[in-house]
Amino acid sequence: MKREEVKVIIRSYGYVKTYVKKLLLILLMVVVDVVLSIIQPILWGYMLEAVIKLDIDKFTRFIIYILVLYVFEAIILYAQSYLSVYVNESITCEMKDKVFSKIMNYQMRLIGKMGIGDVLSHLEGDVAVIVDVYTNQILNVIIGI
C-alpha cells in the first residue's frame, strides 16, 4: 500500500468512528447468523431421527424449533441488512458533503484545470471505494477469520 493511501484511510476513519458501535452490532449479527446456520442442520438431524423412530411428539417439537429458528434468522438478516445500508449511506453522505464543500472552496480556475470528470470521479468513485473498505471489506475479513 502506498503512503498516500494509508493517509487517506487514516483520515477517513474520522467518518467511521461515530459508527463503530453500529459496525460492531452488525458483526455480532453476522456471528449470530453463522451460529444459527450451524444449529440448523443439527435440528434437521434430530427431526429425521424422530421420524425414523416414529416419535410424533419430538418431530412436532423440532418442526416448531426449526420454524422459530427460520423466523429469528430472517429477523437478524433483515436487521443486519438495514443497519449495513444505514451505516453505508450515512458515511457516504458525510464524505460526499465534505468533498463537495472542499470543491466549492476551490478557485474556479483550479476546477477548470481538473475538469468536471475528475471532480465527479472524486466525488463518486473515491468516496465509494473508501466507504466500501470500511463497511464491507473489513467486515468480510473479520468474518473470514
Side-chain angles (χ1 to χ4, degrees):
M1 224 193 258
K2 295 179 186 175
R3 190 175 194 177
E4 294 172 6
E5 293 171 344
V6 172
K7 285 181 181 179
V8 168
I9 291 173
I10 291 171
R11 204 171 353 145
S12 62
Y13 176 73
Y15 298 102
V16 176
K17 70 180 176 184
T18 57
Y19 299 100
V20 168
K21 289 181 184 176
K22 287 182 175 71
L23 289 171
L24 290 175
L25 183 60
I26 292 169
L27 183 62
L28 177 67
M29 288 181 195
V30 168
V31 169
V32 169
D33 183 46
V34 168
V35 169
L36 293 177
S37 296
I38 292 171
I39 292 172
Q40 203 175 72
I42 295 169
L43 289 178
W44 281 101
Y46 286 138
M47 189 178 74
L48 184 61
E49 186 179 306
V51 167
I52 291 171
K53 291 181 179 179
L54 299 173
D55 190 351
I56 299 300
D57 291 335
K58 269 189 175 179
F59 176 75
T60 307
R61 200 171 0 153
F62 284 114
I63 288 282
I64 292 170
Y65 292 160
I66 289 172
L67 288 175
V68 168
L69 183 87
Y70 279 139
V71 168
F72 189 63
E73 189 175 17
I75 291 169
I76 293 288
L77 286 174
Y78 175 77
Q80 174 194 341
S81 176
Y82 178 83
L83 201 54
S84 294
V85 169
Y86 173 79
V87 169
N88 194 334
E89 293 302 318
S90 296
I91 294 171
T92 301
C93 185
E94 286 180 29
M95 290 182 93
K96 284 184 179 181
D97 186 44
K98 184 79 169 187
V99 171
F100 184 74
S101 296
K102 286 249 187 203
I103 290 171
M104 293 309 292
N105 290 330
Y106 285 164
Q107 294 178 359
M108 288 306 282
R109 63 185 168 93
L110 290 176
I111 293 176
K113 284 182 183 178
M114 285 177 61
I116 193 70
D118 289 336
V119 173
L120 289 176
S121 173
H122 287 297
L123 191 59
E124 289 294 321
D126 296 350
V127 170
V129 169
I130 292 170
V131 170
D132 183 57
V133 166
Y134 278 111
T135 58
N136 295 329
Q137 302 306 321
I138 292 177
L139 192 62
N140 288 340
V141 167
I142 293 170
I143 292 167
I145 292 172

